Amino acid sequence: MCLICVSLGYEPEDNYLIACGSPTNKSVGDRVFLADNFDSRFLSTPQNISVSTNSNSISSTYGSELFQSARLFNGTSNYTFPIKKQGRHLTRLYFFPFVDEDHNLSIAKFSVSAQTFTLLKNFQPQSDPVVKEYSLNITSDNLVLTFIPSSNSFAFLNGLEVFSLPDELMPDSVRTIDSPREHLNLRTQALETVLRVNMGNQRVSPQNDTLWRLWVSDGSHLKHSNLVEFLSRIGAVNDTGGLTQNIAPLSVYGTATALQSQSDPNTYANITWLFDVDPGFEYLVRFHFCDIVSRAPRELFFNVFINSLFVARDLDLSNLTSNVLGAPFYMDILTGLSDSSKLNVSVGPTTSYNAYPNAILNGLEIMKVNNSRGSLHVAETGIQSSKSSSKLKVWLIAVSTLGLFIVILALVLFAVCRRRRRRRRLAHIATNGGSLGAMKKSLRKYCDLAEKCLAESGVDRPTMGDVLWNLEYALQLQTSESPRPNRELSDPSLETSVSNTQFSMGSVSDLAGTSMSKVFSEMVRAEMV
Ligand SMILES: *[C@@H]1O[C@H](CO)[C@@H](O)[C@H](O)[C@H]1NC(C)=O
Ligand SMILES: *[C@@H]1O[C@H](CO)[C@@H](O)[C@H](O)[C@H]1NC(C)=O
Ligand SMILES: *[C@@H]1O[C@H](CO)[C@@H](O)[C@H](O)[C@H]1NC(C)=O
Ligand SMILES: *[C@@H]1O[C@H](CO)[C@@H](O)[C@H](O)[C@H]1NC(C)=O
Ligand SMILES: *[C@@H]1O[C@H](CO)[C@@H](O)[C@H](O)[C@H]1NC(C)=O
Ligand SMILES: *[C@@H]1O[C@H](CO)[C@@H](O)[C@H](O)[C@H]1NC(C)=O
Ligand SMILES: *[C@@H]1O[C@H](CO)[C@@H](O)[C@H](O)[C@H]1NC(C)=O
Ligand SMILES: *[C@@H]1O[C@H](CO)[C@@H](O)[C@H](O)[C@H]1NC(C)=O
């Protein structure tokens, strides 16, 4: 028992544990969260407001103690923590929106930032207790956490942890897959824990982790659970190699999800887990392995995939752990940017070695990496990616519009030349301002249109219907019969053609294809009159 106490004894240099809004200190497991009621040394806020609930029905794997009181911030508020040891610090924020006589915390809406990073934006905690966890490299003398209420709202916080992380926890850089760069320098990145998973379908609670981390069980994330078996062989872990329990507890390495051992030896199936992620971010994924299934080294060879891409081919754990069977091993990888809201992790036996087909995974951590704007908040990148995709669309439209313009110009020139030959008509056009003037006018119209299509913001850009209508108008200017634009075109056949085209305007190819031929036929028709 005492051996366990000693091995769990990580003592962070910086260690701030606060029970927000609580009049008394609160013990959570082996730690004491300090009361911050009314005299917090670290907090700067417009007004001290503490709220509490005596609800006993709060259910959370982090315990209920911290969720029963809260600080309410009715204006921008700061926590400023002096930092003794620069380097990575873990920040945990506890939120539970309860209701007391005067306040309904469910209506709170706010943003949280730390140093230069946006952690949460327009955040509205939903009905359940939630713990958000971030890892930041602090290179200044203070860590400043700022709470900013959204307009006509307020912010709140139930509990807070800020403590130094062991140096060995994070590498300086990480290998990437599906990305133009080979490595990402992690030193200055902010990370948000998405999920920690213990394979073998066993939860590891914060009290059984040296850094008070929660590891959820993997069962509910398995794509197909019929081919797998859950193993628990803590005694098979050989931890003499120096990998500390700060990386992951023995209870993570000593349990695993593997392919069923009594299954047909010709079964080459993958074990696949699915996880919810926010699209538009890169994720640091850490795989924890420990061979608790083999009787001897070099019996187990398997492949590791993320989103169907190879992370490791023919992985041989004994080779990576100097043939020490049962030695813990971990591997980091950075995923590329993806539009998908699912992250898909698989392990599967390899066919390259004459070994019994099996594959295992002991633990998995998924961390969101801040985007180029220093944010971990999803909406911003959502807008960013839709912006870049609509920019691409705009360019395609611009290019096809230009193509259309050139073709029309060629056609007009052709028509003008033909008219020159016949041309009774020349006198008529000349009296209407001359074909050159009309051309100039229509050219300007085309240019205006192209400019509008390239507008930065979507609302400033014309719709496909407008684009077509404007092209039609420019065309009319060219033939110079109808100098004023008229949406309710008098010619019934023209009207149908316009509305038909508006409906077929689903994609850029429509603009380049269908409508072009329609515009052509209109021109030819106008020409033939
Ligand atoms: C809370 O704990 C701190 C540190 O142990 C102690 O100094 C303080 O007096 C305690 N406060 C209360 C209200 O018990
Ligand atoms: C917060 O509340 C105090 C007291 O009611 C008030 O004086 C202050 O103006 C409020 N601040 C904001 C930003 O609403
Ligand atoms: C919080 O800190 C920021 C930056 O350090 C500062 O601009 C702001 O005025 C502070 N707000 C309060 C309420 O102390
Ligand atoms: C608190 O606010 C939420 C969200 O507006 C609402 O659904 C809930 O009914 C409110 N609770 C009480 C007790 O007013
Ligand atoms: C933190 O950042 C500093 C400055 O970029 C760097 O020297 C240091 O290695 C970083 N620490 C960690 C743990 O990444
Ligand atoms: C910690 O792990 C031990 C042994 O696996 C287990 O008996 C105990 O219930 C765990 N504690 C918590 C709080 O889950
Ligand atoms: C654990 O590994 C070490 C080598 O690192 C080895 O000497 C020792 O015998 C192993 N222990 C067990 C129980 O296999
Ligand atoms: C395992 O997954 C990889 C990547 O999705 C796939 O290429 C491979 O065919 C799968 N193997 C089996 C046996 O299904």
Side-chain angles (χ1 to χ4, degrees):
M1 227 23 221
C2 229
L3 272 178
I4 293 173
C5 303
V6 171
S7 71
L8 289 186
Y10 171 69
E11 286 190 15
E13 285 86 346
D14 296 307
N15 195 18
Y16 298 100
L17 308 173
I18 297 176
C20 304
S22 169
T24 57
N25 291 343
K26 284 183 177 172
S27 289
V28 181
D30 54 352
R31 295 186 295 170
V32 177
F33 284 68
L34 297 192
D36 80 333
N37 205 15
F38 295 105
D39 63 349
S40 173
R41 286 168 289 156
F42 311 113
L43 180 62
S44 144
T45 184
Q47 197 200 1
N48 278 308
I49 310 170
S50 295
V51 288
S52 62
T53 177
N54 42 27
S55 162
N56 306 316
S57 60
I58 303 166
S59 138
S60 165
T61 42
Y62 286 91
S64 61
E65 299 93 335
L66 289 175
F67 295 111
Q68 287 166 336
S69 63
R71 269 276 178 181
L72 208 138
F73 308 119
N74 78 335
T76 299
S77 306
N78 285 338
Y79 280 99
T80 306
F81 298 109
I83 295 297
K84 279 187 265 176
K85 190 203 167 208
Q86 298 192 349
R88 284 218 170 253
H89 286 69
L90 201 74
T91 299
R92 285 199 187 101
L93 306 174
Y94 293 73
F95 300 104
F96 175 56
F98 58 76
V99 181
D100 81 352
E101 300 96 64
D102 303 319
H103 307 92
N104 181 351
L105 300 190
S106 294
I107 62 170
K109 192 173 175 188
F110 54 97
S111 301
V112 182
S113 61
Q115 312 297 73
T116 55
F117 293 103
T118 302
L119 308 183
L120 293 162
K121 196 160 186 184
N122 293 325
F123 178 56
Q124 264 188 299
Q126 298 304 308
S127 53
D128 293 321
V130 54
V131 175
K132 297 274 180 185
E133 190 182 286
Y134 306 91
S135 160
L136 300 163
N137 181 4
I138 310 298
T139 53
S140 54
D141 294 336
N142 290 303
L143 165 57
V144 182
L145 268 178
T146 309
F147 290 77
I148 307 155
S150 302
S151 57
N152 298 318
S153 194
F154 57 88
F156 74 89
L157 184 65
N158 300 78
L160 173 64
E161 296 178 41
V162 171
F163 64 86
S164 319
L165 284 173
D167 292 331
E168 76 258 24
L169 203 65
M170 275 300 146
D172 286 345
S173 78
V174 60
R175 182 169 65 99
T176 62
I177 48 165
D178 200 20
S179 165
R181 54 186 172 192
E182 271 183 27
H183 289 90
L184 175 74
N185 181 346
L186 278 180
R187 286 189 197 98
T188 54
Q189 310 288 330
L191 306 172
E192 177 183 350
T193 307
V194 176
L195 208 60
R196 281 195 191 88
V197 193
N198 183 27
M199 276 58 193
N201 206 22
Q202 284 186 30
R203 190 179 77 197
V204 175
S205 72
Q207 295 314 319
N208 273 343
D209 182 290
T210 54
L211 304 175
W212 305 278
R213 294 167 296 199
L214 170 68
W215 301 74
V216 301
S217 53
D218 68 320
S220 60
H221 295 281
L222 278 165
K223 199 172 172 190
H224 307 288
S225 52
N226 52 329
L227 287 172
V228 309
E229 68 182 343
F230 301 122
L231 305 172
S232 177
R233 294 174 194 164
I234 311 273
V237 183
N238 185 339
D239 65 340
T240 57
L243 197 67
T244 75
Q245 292 210 33
N246 292 334
I247 299 293
L250 287 187
S251 44
V252 167
Y253 285 114
T255 58
T257 297
L259 278 178
Q260 266 174 20
S261 54
Q262 63 272 62
S263 67
D264 177 359
N266 295 315
T267 311
Y268 285 89
N270 290 327
I271 311 173
T272 299
W273 295 264
L274 290 173
F275 303 100
D276 291 324
V277 291
D278 290 331
F281 285 91
E282 294 168 303
Y283 290 89
L284 173 64
V285 179
R286 175 168 287 182
F287 293 84
H288 295 275
F289 294 109
C290 182
D291 187 351
I292 57 170
V293 300
S294 301
R295 303 222 171 103
R298 299 188 65 79
E299 276 184 5
L300 178 67
F301 299 87
F302 58 98
N303 295 323
V304 183
F305 308 93
I306 291 181
N307 297 335
S308 294
L309 296 167
F310 270 106
V311 172
R313 207 185 284 261
D314 303 334
L315 191 74
D316 173 12
L317 292 173
S318 40
N319 185 28
L320 295 162
T321 58
S322 330
N323 285 332
V324 178
L325 203 62
F329 173 79
Y330 70 90
M331 186 170 76
D332 292 328
I333 198 85
L334 188 84
T335 67
L337 286 173
S338 164
D339 285 345
S340 172
S341 58
K342 293 278 180 207
L343 187 89
N344 170 324
V345 171
S346 306
V347 294
T350 164
T351 47
S352 327
Y353 288 83
N354 197 11
Y356 190 87
N358 203 352
I360 62 164
L361 185 58
N362 303 66
L364 191 77
E365 294 178 81
I366 304 172
M367 317 263 193
K368 189 200 272 184
V369 180
N370 68 265
N371 63 20
S372 55
R373 298 170 164 203
S375 179
L376 288 158
H377 171 68
V378 64
E380 279 174 27
T381 44
I383 290 164
Q384 246 179 354
S385 63
S386 82
K387 228 184 191 169
S388 61
S389 94
S390 68
K391 255 204 183 123
L392 181 70
K393 246 184 237 162
V394 162
W395 274 107
L396 284 174
I397 291 170
V399 166
S400 53
T401 307
L402 193 70
L404 192 67
F405 170 62
I406 289 168
V407 169
I408 290 170
L409 195 68
L411 230 99
V412 166
L413 284 174
F414 171 66
V416 166
C417 290
R418 264 182 49 190
R419 280 184 183 188
R420 208 186 288 270
R421 256 185 253 133
R422 284 192 274 151
R423 278 207 68 201
R424 204 165 61 86
R425 282 242 169 179
L426 182 62
H428 171 72
I429 287 170
T431 55
N432 278 298
S435 65
L436 210 64
M439 273 278 258
K440 251 197 222 149
K441 239 186 188 171
S442 82
L443 233 160
R444 198 179 310 134
K445 194 77 201 160
Y446 282 124
C447 292
D448 285 350
L449 187 61
E451 207 174 298
K452 272 193 194 130
C453 284
L454 290 169
E456 186 69 29
S457 148
V459 290
D460 296 329
R461 286 195 293 264
T463 63
M464 286 291 208
D466 284 343
V467 170
L468 200 78
W469 182 77
N470 273 285
L471 284 173
E472 208 94 44
Y473 173 38
L475 194 68
Q476 284 177 15
L477 279 179
Q478 264 171 10
T479 53
S480 73
E481 295 293 340
S482 158
R484 278 204 60 79
N486 185 0
R487 259 205 129 129
E488 279 119 52
L489 297 152
S490 50
D491 185 332
S493 73
L494 193 57
E495 196 178 336
T496 10
S497 107
V498 169
S499 54
N500 276 351
T501 327
Q502 271 179 0
F503 284 118
S504 70
M505 283 275 93
S507 69
V508 173
S509 61
D510 282 348
L511 183 64
T514 324
S515 67
M516 190 118 106
S517 64
K518 283 210 165 105
V519 172
F520 262 74
S521 60
E522 284 313 322
M523 273 204 64
V524 172
R525 196 180 55 83
E527 190 51 37
M528 293 309 160
V529 173

